[in-house]
Amino acid sequence: MEGSYNILIILLLLTSSISLISSLEKTNVEFIRKSCGFTAYPTLCFNSLSTRTGAIQTSPRLLAQTALAVTLDSTRTTSSSMVKLSKVHGMAPLEVAAMKDCIELLSDSVYNLKQSLEEMSQPGSKDHRLVMSDIQTWVSSALTDEDTCAEGFKDDPKMKSVVRGKIVNVAHLTSNALALINSYASLSR
């Protein structure tokens, strides 16, 4: 009889734990959905961050930091893709020059995003407002670099379409990350 009672207690505790975890998960998902609602591309924001609910929980800092990490990964992948695309033969000299500029701009974007993520990951030993201002500047610069890259092909509709297809997602992720960083910065003042 006592063994059955212990099993019943264990089952009740297990069921309660599962309910609690499920409730926390829903809270985390809703936090991300609500936060992404304030970005320019809310669906992309939610889709790119909702798989990381456990890491983000309901922390605006972790949300902004994770958005930066996702953006950095995507920008690195896009940069590598552009390097491969630049090796395609048959591009006109103006296309080659624009491609080189674009690759350099993406490299700068990766650098700025990496620097931002590193600063955001550091414990708060420095002046928080100054650090957040630096991060906002670097992410804004990354966004400008991405936009400038796409504009380099405005006179070549075919290449503009190819490049823009690769750059748009990164620029949208960067825009979303900047919005989440701005939100975090305003909360922590």
Side-chain angles (χ1 to χ4, degrees):
M1 183 74 178
E2 190 169 311
S4 298
Y5 180 72
N6 288 342
I7 291 174
L8 181 60
I9 295 292
I10 291 170
L11 286 175
L12 285 173
L13 288 173
L14 185 60
T15 303
S16 296
S17 296
I18 290 171
S19 277
L20 179 61
I21 291 169
S22 177
S23 176
L24 289 174
E25 184 71 18
K26 285 178 186 173
T27 300
N28 296 349
V29 168
E30 282 310 306
F31 168 72
I32 293 170
R33 185 181 315 282
K34 183 178 176 186
S35 299
C36 285
F38 297 106
T39 67
Y41 309 98
T43 302
L44 176 65
C45 177
F46 180 77
N47 290 342
S48 67
L49 298 172
S50 63
T51 59
R52 294 165 169 85
T53 56
I56 295 168
Q57 299 170 20
T58 57
S59 167
R61 179 180 166 278
L62 293 174
L63 179 66
Q65 191 172 324
T66 303
L68 260 177
V70 167
T71 302
L72 176 58
D73 286 346
S74 184
T75 305
R76 281 181 173 147
T77 300
T78 300
S79 181
S80 294
S81 177
M82 293 300 291
V83 169
K84 288 177 188 169
L85 183 61
S86 74
K87 295 178 181 173
V88 171
H89 298 288
M91 282 195 279
L94 285 177
E95 291 173 332
V96 171
M99 187 63 77
K100 284 182 180 179
D101 288 345
C102 187
I103 290 168
E104 186 176 323
L105 288 163
L106 283 175
S107 177
D108 289 347
S109 183
V110 166
Y111 176 79
N112 285 323
L113 293 168
K114 184 175 182 250
Q115 197 169 3
S116 298
L117 186 58
E118 286 172 1
E119 275 299 315
M120 195 135 198
S121 301
Q122 296 295 318
S125 60
K126 299 176 186 173
D127 178 9
H128 182 73
R129 286 190 319 202
L130 180 59
V131 168
M132 290 311 299
S133 177
D134 287 346
I135 291 169
Q136 290 166 311
T137 299
W138 294 326
V139 176
S140 292
S141 178
L143 185 57
T144 300
D145 288 340
E146 294 155 6
D147 288 340
T148 303
C149 169
E151 288 303 311
F153 297 92
K154 67 180 175 202
D155 296 330
D156 183 345
K158 182 182 173 191
M159 280 304 286
K160 180 179 180 178
S161 176
V162 170
V163 170
R164 186 140 182 84
K166 294 182 180 308
I167 300 298
V168 164
N169 187 59
V170 168
H172 290 179
L173 285 171
T174 305
S175 171
N176 286 344
L178 182 58
L180 296 172
I181 289 163
N182 289 341
S183 176
Y184 170 63
S186 69
L187 289 174
S188 57
R189 285 187 186 150

